[in-house]
């Protein structure tokens, strides 16, 4: 079971994540979009969207630091374990609350505003469910282990396991003693990465760099005094 959950599933999710983006770029370029619904409703969007994107940015940064940077590197930089732990828990809790709050506003808007709900696809609904599940489990794991409990240092188990998968030297034994909520959070994240390429989340990997080099758009007037021939009444003479 350890090999299935912590070796097979991560690589399946990784292959689907990479292959899905390649397929989407080759065969669905016009669908590679956020499917913006700002024209349908703007008041709730101005509240939920900044709150969600601010929170998710902190969540991503926190996971990159916590999972990819080894334990000894932060200590070599002068950051003690206590300082790192307090900062990670505080920022992680704030980021999780902001992200879930913004997501709740966006889901409420999508469900209650008719035109926005009509533009919602099945992939959108699946994406919201998977994203909410991963966020709730991550926040619950943080609160249960580090606020309600005595604390848990995931950088001694989950982080080395994650780096072992990326280096193609998987060590599933590291995940055997991890608390259940952390395990469920990791599995929900793998499921989210597997469906990622087929949802609007692809826009997170897009940057409008083409706008920097594209030619100017030329607009020409259709004013009759600037070259357009005025219409004639009746039939024109055959030449």
């Amino acid at each position: 079971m350890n090999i299935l959950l912590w070796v097979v599933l991560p690589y399946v999710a990784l292959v689907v994540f990479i292959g899905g983006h390649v397929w989407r770029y080759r065969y669905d370029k016009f669908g590679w979009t956020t499917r913006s619904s700002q024209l349908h409703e703007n008041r709730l969007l101005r509240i939920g969207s900044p709150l969600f994107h601010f929170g998710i940015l902190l969540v991503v940064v926190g996971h990159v630091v916590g999972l990819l940077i080894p334990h000894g590197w932060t200590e070599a930089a002068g950051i003690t374990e206590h300082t790192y732990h307090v900062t990670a828990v505080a920022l992680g809790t704030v980021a999780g609350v902001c992200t879930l709050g913004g997501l709740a506003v966006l889901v409420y808007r999508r469900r209650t505003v008719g035109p926005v709900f009509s533009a919602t696809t099945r992939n959108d609904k699946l994406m919201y469910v998977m994203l909410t599940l991963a966020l709730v489990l991550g926040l619950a794991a943080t609160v249960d282990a580090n606020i309600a409990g005595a604390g848990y240092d995931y950088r001694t188990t989950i982080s080395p396991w994650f780096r072992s998968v990326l280096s193609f030297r998987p060590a599933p034994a590291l995940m055997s003693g991890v608390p259940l909520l952390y395990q469920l959070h990791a599995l929900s994240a793998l499921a989210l990465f597997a469906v990622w390429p087929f949802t609007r989340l692809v826009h997170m990997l897009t940057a409008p760099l083409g706008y920097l080099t594209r030619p100017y758009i030329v607009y020409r007037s259709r004013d009759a005094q600037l070259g357009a021939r005025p219409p004639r009444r009746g039939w024109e003479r055959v030449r």
Side-chain angles (χ1 to χ4, degrees):
M1 184 59 68
N2 275 342
I3 295 176
L4 175 63
L5 293 179
W6 311 119
V7 178
V8 176
L9 287 182
Y11 285 118
V12 169
L14 183 62
V15 169
V16 174
F17 181 81
I18 297 175
H21 280 91
V22 173
W23 174 87
R24 187 83 180 269
Y25 184 79
R26 286 177 58 87
Y27 298 105
D28 190 30
K29 285 185 179 180
F30 289 105
W32 192 296
T33 173
T34 60
R35 295 178 56 86
S36 175
S37 58
Q38 184 176 1
L39 293 177
H40 299 309
E41 196 278 336
N42 193 34
R43 182 178 62 86
L44 291 174
L45 186 65
R46 285 185 296 177
I47 300 174
S49 182
L51 190 61
F52 171 78
H53 285 90
F54 169 76
I56 201 66
L57 180 62
L58 287 180
V59 169
V60 171
V61 172
H63 279 72
V64 168
V65 173
L67 294 177
L68 296 182
I69 297 181
H71 186 276
W73 290 22
T74 54
E75 291 185 348
I79 303 175
T80 63
E81 179 60 27
H82 177 72
T83 301
Y84 176 87
H85 179 75
V86 172
T87 304
V89 171
L91 289 181
T93 304
V94 171
V97 171
C98 289
T99 307
L100 282 177
L103 185 61
V105 174
L106 294 177
V107 172
Y108 172 81
R109 168 183 177 270
R110 188 162 292 276
R111 185 63 185 85
T112 57
V113 179
V116 179
F117 182 74
S118 299
T120 303
T121 65
R122 292 180 180 178
N123 285 351
D124 292 334
K125 296 176 183 179
L126 177 62
M127 180 269 296
Y128 279 116
V129 171
M130 301 301 297
L131 188 58
T132 302
L133 181 63
L135 290 171
V136 168
L137 288 174
L139 186 59
T142 300
V143 173
D144 179 70
N146 298 288
I147 297 179
Y152 178 73
D153 187 7
Y154 63 89
R155 294 201 298 167
T156 60
T157 54
I158 302 176
S159 298
W161 163 78
F162 184 78
R163 293 194 296 269
S164 73
V165 171
L166 293 183
S167 62
F168 297 101
R169 291 179 296 178
L174 292 170
M175 295 294 292
S176 59
V178 173
L180 179 60
L181 283 176
Y182 278 97
Q183 291 183 343
L184 293 177
H185 174 57
L187 293 175
S188 66
L190 293 177
L192 178 62
F193 278 107
V195 302
W196 185 306
F198 313 104
T199 66
R200 67 175 64 202
L201 291 177
V202 293
H203 79 277
M204 292 183 64
L205 302 179
T206 304
L209 300 179
Y211 284 94
L212 301 176
T213 58
R214 75 176 188 179
Y216 292 106
I217 300 177
V218 179
Y219 293 91
R220 292 184 174 88
S221 174
R222 289 188 176 183
D223 193 333
Q225 297 180 356
L226 296 180
R229 186 177 64 176
R232 294 188 180 184
R233 298 182 59 186
W235 293 96
E236 294 187 8
R237 186 175 61 182
V238 179
R239 300 184 182 275

